[in-house]
Amino acid sequence: MKVHKKIAIAILLIAVAVAGYILYPRKFKVREDEIALRIQMDTKEDIGLLVYDYNIAGHDYSGGISNADRSLIGHDEELIVTWNDEELKIKTEEDIPFKITFRIITEYTDPNYENNYPEGITVYLDPIEWTAHLGEEYEVRITGDSTNGYEAQYTDGA
């Protein structure tokens, strides 16, 4: 009898936790000292990695996103990248010219610091640019597929 009570309580606690997460999901909020980029994947298939080369306030950088468990990035996944003022060497009152070029690596391959990947699985997207500000979040939607190509679109809905 005691075991059944403990199981019932455990199930109730799990149900409450799940309901809380569904009703009150954690929402990302950009800090005042950073720029955030929300990337909405809207592709027909999953991808291996998402690599990006970007220029912020005249400084060139490169980065990327992959799953630590080596799984593919979902075709409908939402990704968030943040950069703070210290790493970008910018001041808070500046308008910040921001230009980014995405590369889709169509198959999973181990990430590398040089962001060099085989040409046969690398698809370059056209660059997009806007003026950014610290404390703001921006949105990009990536659409398409490996047959017809991919496109990155800046959306002003952030």
Side-chain angles (χ1 to χ4, degrees):
M1 188 84 133
K2 289 183 182 182
V3 172
H4 293 291
K5 225 181 219 185
K6 288 181 181 180
I7 291 172
I9 291 172
I11 290 172
L12 179 62
L13 290 174
I14 291 170
V16 168
V18 169
Y21 180 76
I22 290 170
L23 294 174
Y24 303 103
R26 286 190 199 160
K27 288 199 169 208
F28 170 79
K29 181 152 174 49
V30 64
R31 293 187 339 226
E32 288 184 20
D33 67 338
E34 65 185 8
I35 295 171
L37 182 60
R38 187 178 298 264
I39 305 164
Q40 180 61 56
M41 298 300 296
D42 190 12
T43 58
K44 291 190 179 169
E45 64 259 328
D46 299 343
I47 64 169
L49 292 97
L50 182 63
V51 178
Y52 42 88
D53 303 304
Y54 55 105
N55 182 292
I56 296 181
H59 301 285
D60 291 322
Y61 303 95
S62 187
I65 301 171
S66 67
N67 287 328
D69 65 1
R70 302 176 63 120
S71 64
L72 297 177
I73 296 171
H75 66 279
D76 59 352
E77 203 164 323
E78 181 179 71
L79 311 166
I80 298 175
V81 182
T82 60
W83 300 276
N84 69 40
D85 59 350
E86 191 173 306
E87 66 187 300
L88 297 175
K89 303 172 184 90
I90 53 179
K91 296 180 182 166
T92 57
E93 65 274 358
E94 294 179 353
D95 283 351
I96 305 158
F98 192 118
K99 181 178 181 179
I100 191 165
T101 303
F102 291 99
R103 288 184 271 158
I104 291 182
I105 312 305
T106 57
E107 300 173 14
Y108 183 85
T109 186
D110 288 329
N112 61 69
Y113 288 108
E114 296 83 27
N115 278 331
N116 292 325
Y117 299 95
E119 202 172 296
I121 62 170
T122 302
V123 179
Y124 286 84
L125 284 64
D126 290 335
I128 51 178
E129 54 189 295
W130 65 92
T131 300
H133 297 93
L134 287 172
E136 297 291 325
E137 177 182 317
Y138 302 93
E139 283 187 21
V140 169
R141 178 173 300 277
I142 296 179
T143 59
D145 59 58
S146 59
T147 304
N148 300 305
Y150 296 96
E151 183 179 14
Q153 303 156 335
Y154 173 76
T155 60
D156 202 12

PDB file of all heavy atoms in Angstrom, residues 23-43:
ATOM      1  N   LEU A  23       2.726  25.339 -19.341  1.00  0.00           N
ATOM      2  CA  LEU A  23       2.023  26.598 -19.103  1.00  0.00           C
ATOM      3  C   LEU A  23       2.973  27.789 -18.960  1.00  0.00           C
ATOM      4  O   LEU A  23       2.628  28.902 -19.325  1.00  0.00           O
ATOM      5  CB  LEU A  23       1.159  26.478 -17.854  1.00  0.00           C
ATOM      6  CG  LEU A  23       0.000  25.489 -17.951  1.00  0.00           C
ATOM      7  CD1 LEU A  23      -0.686  25.350 -16.594  1.00  0.00           C
ATOM      8  CD2 LEU A  23      -1.000  25.924 -19.019  1.00  0.00           C
ATOM      9  N   TYR A  24       4.152  27.550 -18.418  1.00  0.00           N
ATOM     10  CA  TYR A  24       5.108  28.625 -18.175  1.00  0.00           C
ATOM     11  C   TYR A  24       6.495  28.241 -18.675  1.00  0.00           C
ATOM     12  O   TYR A  24       7.426  28.081 -17.892  1.00  0.00           O
ATOM     13  CB  TYR A  24       5.183  28.949 -16.673  1.00  0.00           C
ATOM     14  CG  TYR A  24       3.855  29.314 -16.086  1.00  0.00           C
ATOM     15  CD1 TYR A  24       3.131  28.407 -15.323  1.00  0.00           C
ATOM     16  CD2 TYR A  24       3.303  30.572 -16.323  1.00  0.00           C
ATOM     17  CE1 TYR A  24       1.892  28.735 -14.805  1.00  0.00           C
ATOM     18  CE2 TYR A  24       2.069  30.907 -15.805  1.00  0.00           C
ATOM     19  CZ  TYR A  24       1.377  29.994 -15.046  1.00  0.00           C
ATOM     20  OH  TYR A  24       0.152  30.320 -14.534  1.00  0.00           O
ATOM     21  N   PRO A  25       6.670  28.102 -20.006  1.00  0.00           N
ATOM     22  CA  PRO A  25       7.992  27.722 -20.512  1.00  0.00           C
ATOM     23  C   PRO A  25       9.002  28.840 -20.277  1.00  0.00           C
ATOM     24  O   PRO A  25       8.640  30.023 -20.206  1.00  0.00           O
ATOM     25  CB  PRO A  25       7.749  27.512 -21.998  1.00  0.00           C
ATOM     26  CG  PRO A  25       6.552  28.348 -22.306  1.00  0.00           C
ATOM     27  CD  PRO A  25       5.712  28.345 -21.059  1.00  0.00           C
ATOM     28  N   ARG A  26      10.243  28.454 -20.118  1.00  0.00           N
ATOM     29  CA  ARG A  26      11.292  29.470 -19.962  1.00  0.00           C
ATOM     30  C   ARG A  26      11.465  30.189 -21.279  1.00  0.00           C
ATOM     31  O   ARG A  26      11.589  29.586 -22.318  1.00  0.00           O
ATOM     32  CB  ARG A  26      12.616  28.799 -19.609  1.00  0.00           C
ATOM     33  CG  ARG A  26      12.675  28.309 -18.216  1.00  0.00           C
ATOM     34  CD  ARG A  26      14.092  27.889 -17.926  1.00  0.00           C
ATOM     35  NE  ARG A  26      14.101  27.016 -16.779  1.00  0.00           N
ATOM     36  CZ  ARG A  26      15.079  26.205 -16.496  1.00  0.00           C
ATOM     37  NH1 ARG A  26      16.135  26.141 -17.275  1.00  0.00           N
ATOM     38  NH2 ARG A  26      15.025  25.450 -15.431  1.00  0.00           N
ATOM     39  N   LYS A  27      11.484  31.493 -21.218  1.00  0.00           N
ATOM     40  CA  LYS A  27      11.679  32.284 -22.421  1.00  0.00           C
ATOM     41  C   LYS A  27      13.041  32.936 -22.346  1.00  0.00           C
ATOM     42  O   LYS A  27      13.455  33.428 -21.310  1.00  0.00           O
ATOM     43  CB  LYS A  27      10.599  33.346 -22.554  1.00  0.00           C
ATOM     44  CG  LYS A  27       9.262  32.760 -22.918  1.00  0.00           C
ATOM     45  CD  LYS A  27       8.374  33.825 -23.473  1.00  0.00           C
ATOM     46  CE  LYS A  27       7.150  33.175 -24.073  1.00  0.00           C
ATOM     47  NZ  LYS A  27       6.594  33.942 -25.132  1.00  0.00           N
ATOM     48  N   PHE A  28      13.707  32.935 -23.485  1.00  0.00           N
ATOM     49  CA  PHE A  28      15.008  33.579 -23.559  1.00  0.00           C
ATOM     50  C   PHE A  28      14.819  35.084 -23.514  1.00  0.00           C
ATOM     51  O   PHE A  28      13.907  35.626 -24.126  1.00  0.00           O
ATOM     52  CB  PHE A  28      15.715  33.180 -24.861  1.00  0.00           C
ATOM     53  CG  PHE A  28      16.936  33.990 -25.114  1.00  0.00           C
ATOM     54  CD1 PHE A  28      18.111  33.693 -24.454  1.00  0.00           C
ATOM     55  CD2 PHE A  28      16.908  35.069 -25.972  1.00  0.00           C
ATOM     56  CE1 PHE A  28      19.246  34.452 -24.663  1.00  0.00           C
ATOM     57  CE2 PHE A  28      18.029  35.833 -26.181  1.00  0.00           C
ATOM     58  CZ  PHE A  28      19.200  35.521 -25.528  1.00  0.00           C
ATOM     59  N   LYS A  29      15.689  35.764 -22.786  1.00  0.00           N
ATOM     60  CA  LYS A  29      15.673  37.224 -22.745  1.00  0.00           C
ATOM     61  C   LYS A  29      17.100  37.714 -22.907  1.00  0.00           C
ATOM     62  O   LYS A  29      17.985  37.324 -22.152  1.00  0.00           O
ATOM     63  CB  LYS A  29      15.076  37.717 -21.426  1.00  0.00           C
ATOM     64  CG  LYS A  29      15.006  39.228 -21.348  1.00  0.00           C
ATOM     65  CD  LYS A  29      13.874  39.663 -20.452  1.00  0.00           C
ATOM     66  CE  LYS A  29      13.831  41.138 -20.216  1.00  0.00           C
ATOM     67  NZ  LYS A  29      13.916  41.995 -21.348  1.00  0.00           N
ATOM     68  N   VAL A  30      17.314  38.554 -23.901  1.00  0.00           N
ATOM     69  CA  VAL A  30      18.640  39.092 -24.175  1.00  0.00           C
ATOM     70  C   VAL A  30      19.049  40.057 -23.059  1.00  0.00           C
ATOM     71  O   VAL A  30      18.223  40.806 -22.539  1.00  0.00           O
ATOM     72  CB  VAL A  30      18.682  39.782 -25.560  1.00  0.00           C
ATOM     73  CG1 VAL A  30      17.777  40.983 -25.618  1.00  0.00           C
ATOM     74  CG2 VAL A  30      20.102  40.147 -25.954  1.00  0.00           C
ATOM     75  N   ARG A  31      20.324  40.008 -22.668  1.00  0.00           N
ATOM     76  CA  ARG A  31      20.836  40.929 -21.651  1.00  0.00           C
ATOM     77  C   ARG A  31      21.203  42.264 -22.309  1.00  0.00           C
ATOM     78  O   ARG A  31      21.372  42.355 -23.515  1.00  0.00           O
ATOM     79  CB  ARG A  31      22.081  40.326 -20.990  1.00  0.00           C
ATOM     80  CG  ARG A  31      21.786  39.108 -20.176  1.00  0.00           C
ATOM     81  CD  ARG A  31      23.014  38.631 -19.407  1.00  0.00           C
ATOM     82  NE  ARG A  31      24.277  39.097 -19.955  1.00  0.00           N
ATOM     83  CZ  ARG A  31      25.347  38.326 -20.138  1.00  0.00           C
ATOM     84  NH1 ARG A  31      25.316  37.056 -19.829  1.00  0.00           N
ATOM     85  NH2 ARG A  31      26.460  38.831 -20.634  1.00  0.00           N
ATOM     86  N   GLU A  32      21.345  43.287 -21.484  1.00  0.00           N
ATOM     87  CA  GLU A  32      21.657  44.625 -21.986  1.00  0.00           C
ATOM     88  C   GLU A  32      23.036  44.730 -22.623  1.00  0.00           C
ATOM     89  O   GLU A  32      23.278  45.618 -23.434  1.00  0.00           O
ATOM     90  CB  GLU A  32      21.539  45.652 -20.855  1.00  0.00           C
ATOM     91  CG  GLU A  32      20.114  45.923 -20.449  1.00  0.00           C
ATOM     92  CD  GLU A  32      20.016  47.014 -19.395  1.00  0.00           C
ATOM     93  OE1 GLU A  32      20.971  47.804 -19.246  1.00  0.00           O
ATOM     94  OE2 GLU A  32      18.985  47.072 -18.716  1.00  0.00           O
ATOM     95  N   ASP A  33      23.960  43.845 -22.255  1.00  0.00           N
ATOM     96  CA  ASP A  33      25.321  43.927 -22.769  1.00  0.00           C
ATOM     97  C   ASP A  33      25.587  42.942 -23.901  1.00  0.00           C
ATOM     98  O   ASP A  33      26.731  42.657 -24.231  1.00  0.00           O
ATOM     99  CB  ASP A  33      26.336  43.684 -21.640  1.00  0.00           C
ATOM    100  CG  ASP A  33      26.297  42.260 -21.119  1.00  0.00           C
ATOM    101  OD1 ASP A  33      25.265  41.582 -21.296  1.00  0.00           O
ATOM    102  OD2 ASP A  33      27.308  41.818 -20.543  1.00  0.00           O
ATOM    103  N   GLU A  34      24.525  42.425 -24.530  1.00  0.00           N
ATOM    104  CA  GLU A  34      24.738  41.456 -25.593  1.00  0.00           C
ATOM    105  C   GLU A  34      23.786  41.674 -26.768  1.00  0.00           C
ATOM    106  O   GLU A  34      22.788  42.374 -26.661  1.00  0.00           O
ATOM    107  CB  GLU A  34      24.606  40.025 -25.065  1.00  0.00           C
ATOM    108  CG  GLU A  34      23.242  39.647 -24.563  1.00  0.00           C
ATOM    109  CD  GLU A  34      23.180  38.261 -23.933  1.00  0.00           C
ATOM    110  OE1 GLU A  34      24.212  37.609 -23.730  1.00  0.00           O
ATOM    111  OE2 GLU A  34      22.053  37.834 -23.625  1.00  0.00           O
ATOM    112  N   ILE A  35      24.133  41.043 -27.860  1.00  0.00           N
ATOM    113  CA  ILE A  35      23.289  40.971 -29.045  1.00  0.00           C
ATOM    114  C   ILE A  35      22.888  39.509 -29.171  1.00  0.00           C
ATOM    115  O   ILE A  35      23.725  38.622 -29.008  1.00  0.00           O
ATOM    116  CB  ILE A  35      24.067  41.403 -30.305  1.00  0.00           C
ATOM    117  CG1 ILE A  35      24.446  42.886 -30.214  1.00  0.00           C
ATOM    118  CG2 ILE A  35      23.252  41.135 -31.567  1.00  0.00           C
ATOM    119  CD1 ILE A  35      25.402  43.333 -31.307  1.00  0.00           C
ATOM    120  N   ALA A  36      21.625  39.269 -29.455  1.00  0.00           N
ATOM    121  CA  ALA A  36      21.153  37.895 -29.617  1.00  0.00           C
ATOM    122  C   ALA A  36      20.600  37.710 -31.020  1.00  0.00           C
ATOM    123  O   ALA A  36      19.956  38.604 -31.577  1.00  0.00           O
ATOM    124  CB  ALA A  36      20.079  37.573 -28.587  1.00  0.00           C
ATOM    125  N   LEU A  37      20.858  36.532 -31.562  1.00  0.00           N
ATOM    126  CA  LEU A  37      20.326  36.175 -32.867  1.00  0.00           C
ATOM    127  C   LEU A  37      19.533  34.887 -32.715  1.00  0.00           C
ATOM    128  O   LEU A  37      20.075  33.856 -32.318  1.00  0.00           O
ATOM    129  CB  LEU A  37      21.459  35.988 -33.883  1.00  0.00           C
ATOM    130  CG  LEU A  37      21.027  35.663 -35.308  1.00  0.00           C
ATOM    131  CD1 LEU A  37      20.151  36.780 -35.887  1.00  0.00           C
ATOM    132  CD2 LEU A  37      22.256  35.457 -36.186  1.00  0.00           C
ATOM    133  N   ARG A  38      18.251  34.982 -32.988  1.00  0.00           N
ATOM    134  CA  ARG A  38      17.351  33.823 -32.943  1.00  0.00           C
ATOM    135  C   ARG A  38      17.252  33.301 -34.375  1.00  0.00           C
ATOM    136  O   ARG A  38      16.802  34.011 -35.268  1.00  0.00           O
ATOM    137  CB  ARG A  38      15.988  34.246 -32.419  1.00  0.00           C
ATOM    138  CG  ARG A  38      15.027  33.108 -32.167  1.00  0.00           C
ATOM    139  CD  ARG A  38      13.709  33.626 -31.607  1.00  0.00           C
ATOM    140  NE  ARG A  38      13.876  34.287 -30.331  1.00  0.00           N
ATOM    141  CZ  ARG A  38      13.703  33.697 -29.153  1.00  0.00           C
ATOM    142  NH1 ARG A  38      13.364  32.440 -29.083  1.00  0.00           N
ATOM    143  NH2 ARG A  38      13.862  34.388 -28.037  1.00  0.00           N
ATOM    144  N   ILE A  39      17.673  32.067 -34.578  1.00  0.00           N
ATOM    145  CA  ILE A  39      17.688  31.462 -35.910  1.00  0.00           C
ATOM    146  C   ILE A  39      16.608  30.391 -35.954  1.00  0.00           C
ATOM    147  O   ILE A  39      16.684  29.403 -35.218  1.00  0.00           O
ATOM    148  CB  ILE A  39      19.065  30.838 -36.218  1.00  0.00           C
ATOM    149  CG1 ILE A  39      20.173  31.880 -36.055  1.00  0.00           C
ATOM    150  CG2 ILE A  39      19.071  30.220 -37.612  1.00  0.00           C
ATOM    151  CD1 ILE A  39      21.563  31.288 -35.962  1.00  0.00           C
ATOM    152  N   GLN A  40      15.624  30.600 -36.796  1.00  0.00           N
ATOM    153  CA  GLN A  40      14.550  29.623 -36.945  1.00  0.00           C
ATOM    154  C   GLN A  40      14.834  28.772 -38.186  1.00  0.00           C
ATOM    155  O   GLN A  40      14.843  29.278 -39.300  1.00  0.00           O
ATOM    156  CB  GLN A  40      13.189  30.308 -37.082  1.00  0.00           C
ATOM    157  CG  GLN A  40      12.042  29.340 -37.245  1.00  0.00           C
ATOM    158  CD  GLN A  40      11.902  28.397 -36.056  1.00  0.00           C
ATOM    159  OE1 GLN A  40      11.774  28.845 -34.923  1.00  0.00           O
ATOM    160  NE2 GLN A  40      11.941  27.095 -36.307  1.00  0.00           N
ATOM    161  N   MET A  41      15.095  27.497 -37.955  1.00  0.00           N
ATOM    162  CA  MET A  41      15.278  26.575 -39.066  1.00  0.00           C
ATOM    163  C   MET A  41      13.895  26.234 -39.617  1.00  0.00           C
ATOM    164  O   MET A  41      12.985  25.900 -38.865  1.00  0.00           O
ATOM    165  CB  MET A  41      15.996  25.306 -38.606  1.00  0.00           C
ATOM    166  CG  MET A  41      17.393  25.542 -38.057  1.00  0.00           C
ATOM    167  SD  MET A  41      18.538  26.283 -39.232  1.00  0.00           S
ATOM    168  CE  MET A  41      18.638  24.993 -40.470  1.00  0.00           C
ATOM    169  N   ASP A  42      13.747  26.352 -40.917  1.00  0.00           N
ATOM    170  CA  ASP A  42      12.489  26.040 -41.590  1.00  0.00           C
ATOM    171  C   ASP A  42      12.838  25.347 -42.906  1.00  0.00           C
ATOM    172  O   ASP A  42      12.436  25.775 -43.983  1.00  0.00           O
ATOM    173  CB  ASP A  42      11.697  27.331 -41.817  1.00  0.00           C
ATOM    174  CG  ASP A  42      10.287  27.068 -42.300  1.00  0.00           C
ATOM    175  OD1 ASP A  42       9.836  25.911 -42.255  1.00  0.00           O
ATOM    176  OD2 ASP A  42       9.631  28.037 -42.731  1.00  0.00           O
ATOM    177  N   THR A  43      13.652  24.294 -42.790  1.00  0.00           N
ATOM    178  CA  THR A  43      14.151  23.578 -43.958  1.00  0.00           C
ATOM    179  C   THR A  43      13.396  22.268 -44.130  1.00  0.00           C
ATOM    180  O   THR A  43      12.703  21.814 -43.215  1.00  0.00           O
ATOM    181  CB  THR A  43      15.662  23.309 -43.808  1.00  0.00           C
ATOM    182  OG1 THR A  43      15.893  22.562 -42.610  1.00  0.00           O
ATOM    183  CG2 THR A  43      16.440  24.615 -43.750  1.00  0.00           C
TER     184      THR A  43
END
